[in-house]
Amino acid sequence: MSIPDPARVGAFLEEVAGEHMLPFWRRLAPGEVTAKATDSDPADVVTTVDLEVERRLTRGLRGLLPGSAAVGEEAAHADPRLLGALGGDGWSWLIDPLDGTRNFVEGNDRFGVMVALLRGGATRAAWIHLPARRETFSAEEGAGAHLNGARLEVDAADGAGAPAGTIYARFMPGELRAQVEARAEGAYRPAAEAGCACVEYTSVARGEKDFCVYYRLLPWDHAPGALILQEANGVAEHLDGTRYAVASRSQVTVIARSRGIAGRIRRVLSARDDR
């Protein structure tokens, strides 16, 4: 059994978003948004769109690859035991039905659908569809990354000035957050937060932003974007230089458009306090 045609999967994501997401963009009724508070994110919300898109994707993606499993963000939120399927020898779909839910609710265009296809605990293929921007990114392990069917390769030139990026520190433990923010001060040019991984990863892959730093590594937030960025010749790695993996758990992680920029940020964040 092989990976389904990436173009076919991308077209399916576009179809589902066109039918079940875009018609509700800027048209949500108050009752279609509910709280999904967690200890780490008390302001989290979920919409009827998240739930319906996940149901449609789960059925459709499993149909494209008979015998495969599917783990959606909302299903895993209800039953975290489902995450155990991601490390198995069979094929598993990892689904983020609506990344950037708060952005979607607020009516801006920074939201998307993210899907990764896993086997043996590793990401073998990935897709990100940004419906409001009509952009579909895809990647297959060892076969490169694409944007709307055209090859995508990030500009690896490091540049002479301070890199522009975003540090997502709010999920870091208090002491670690203070260390990271103190060490990073003056070492980079702060860039606006997109507020969703689907836009951040694809912005770095296109060279619109030099880097981002994350701590909370929920697999549906990072597995799709990491493969797309890596296949576009970008970098997703932890402070010790090891490559991001689906099994990676919360730790300071750098995504960057080049190995040089990633190394610069890692060195800054790893610097001794008495430097």
Side-chain angles (χ1 to χ4, degrees), residues 231-247:
E231 288 294 325
N233 296 324
V235 176
E237 61 187 19
H238 308 308
L239 281 192
D240 63 1
T242 58
R243 186 179 170 113
Y244 165 84
V246 178

Side-chain angles (χ1 to χ4, degrees), residues 13-14 16-18 20-22 36 45-58 61 71-77 93-101 104 111-116 127-131 198 219-221 224:
L13 300 188
E14 293 166 9
V16 172
H20 299 284
M21 186 176 292
L22 285 178
K36 192 182 79 171
V45 295
V46 65
T47 72
T48 55
V49 173
D50 297 69
L51 300 172
E52 181 55 34
V53 169
E54 182 166 306
R55 283 192 287 266
R56 177 75 188 278
L57 290 177
T58 297
L61 292 172
V71 178
E73 176 186 358
E74 304 310 326
H77 175 75
W93 298 95
L94 180 61
I95 302 167
D96 189 339
L98 177 48
D99 186 49
T101 298
F104 184 83
F111 63 89
V113 183
M114 299 204 291
V115 169
W127 296 262
I128 293 177
H129 175 50
L130 307 180
C198 62
W220 44 79
D221 283 340

Side-chain angles (χ1 to χ4, degrees), residues 137-155:
F137 299 78
S138 64
E140 189 174 343
E141 184 183 37
H146 295 81
L147 166 56
N148 290 345
R151 188 65 179 259
L152 177 66
E153 292 186 357
V154 70
D155 179 5

Side-chain angles (χ1 to χ4, degrees), residues 96 99-100 103 108-114 128-130 133 135 137 152 154 164-170 188-216 220-222 224-230 232 234-236 253-258:
D96 189 339
D99 186 49
N103 291 338
N108 69 57
D109 69 353
R110 300 188 301 276
F111 63 89
V113 183
M114 299 204 291
I128 293 177
H129 175 50
L130 307 180
R133 301 182 180 187
E135 295 176 336
F137 299 78
L152 177 66
V154 70
T166 302
I167 297 178
Y168 285 93
R170 73 186 184 98
Y188 76 107
R189 290 177 289 129
E193 295 185 5
C196 60
C198 62
V199 171
E200 295 290 24
Y201 271 96
T202 54
S203 293
V204 173
R206 286 191 288 196
E208 296 174 345
K209 181 178 285 192
D210 293 323
F211 76 94
C212 287
V213 173
Y214 286 102
Y215 179 80
R216 190 177 69 162
W220 44 79
D221 283 340
H222 296 279
L227 183 68
I228 290 171
L229 179 58
Q230 289 161 348
V235 176
T253 301
V254 180
I255 71 167
R257 64 179 179 84
S258 75

